[in-house]
Amino acid sequence: MTKHSPHKPLQTNPTQAPHSKQPPVRRRKPLPWWKNIKYIVFGILTILVVGFFVNAACDYYDLHQEMIRVEQQQQQLEAEQRELEAEKAKYNDPKAVEKEAREQLGLVKPNEVPYIR
C-alpha cells in the first residue's frame, strides 16, 4: 500500500471522473409524430414557398427569352420594311416603272414594234 501525505491530494487519472452525486441523465423518449405536427407543417409550408418562388423564376426566365426572340423578330421585320420602302421609292419614278414593264412583262408603247432576243 502506498502512503499519502496529508498535504498532497490523491492523484487520479483525469480520464476517470469521480462519481458525482448528481442523478444520471435520463434520455427523453422521442415524441410521436403528431406531437411534432408544428414542425411538419412548417416544413410543408417552406417547401410550398420555395416551390412558388422557383415556379415564378422559371416563368420570368421564359418570358425574358420570349421577349428577346420577339425583339430579334422585330429588328428583322424593320430591316425588311426598310428594304421594301426603298423598293417602293424606286418604283415612284415613271422611268423605272417603264423599264420594269418592258423587261418583265414585255410591254411596248403604242406604234412600237417589239422584237424578241
Side-chain angles (χ1 to χ4, degrees):
M1 294 190 82
T2 61
K3 291 187 177 183
H4 299 293
S5 142
H7 299 291
K8 282 187 168 182
L10 179 62
Q11 296 275 336
T12 61
N13 190 348
T15 59
Q16 296 174 348
H19 295 288
S20 62
K21 301 207 182 215
Q22 296 177 351
V25 176
R26 292 189 309 170
R27 299 201 186 265
R28 285 196 229 168
K29 290 182 182 178
L31 293 175
W33 70 270
W34 60 86
K35 293 203 177 182
N36 288 325
I37 194 75
K38 62 183 173 184
Y39 300 114
I40 294 170
V41 169
F42 179 73
I44 291 172
L45 287 176
T46 302
I47 290 170
L48 289 174
V49 168
V50 168
F52 172 76
F53 282 116
V54 167
N55 187 31
C58 288
D59 288 346
Y60 174 78
Y61 178 77
D62 290 342
L63 286 174
H64 183 69
Q65 294 299 317
E66 179 72 13
M67 183 180 73
I68 290 172
R69 187 187 64 76
V70 167
E71 286 176 350
Q72 290 173 346
Q73 185 180 15
Q74 180 183 5
Q75 290 173 353
Q76 290 174 349
L77 291 173
E78 286 173 351
E80 185 179 344
Q81 181 181 10
R82 284 190 297 273
E83 291 172 7
L84 291 173
E85 290 290 335
E87 190 174 341
K88 177 184 169 187
K90 181 175 88 170
Y91 287 118
N92 282 339
D93 180 23
K95 292 193 183 233
V97 172
E98 179 183 338
K99 179 181 174 191
E100 289 296 321
R102 287 178 180 269
E103 290 177 2
Q104 290 184 7
L105 302 176
L107 298 178
V108 292
K109 289 185 179 182
N111 299 330
E112 279 187 347
V113 178
Y115 68 94
I116 301 176
R117 294 183 195 182

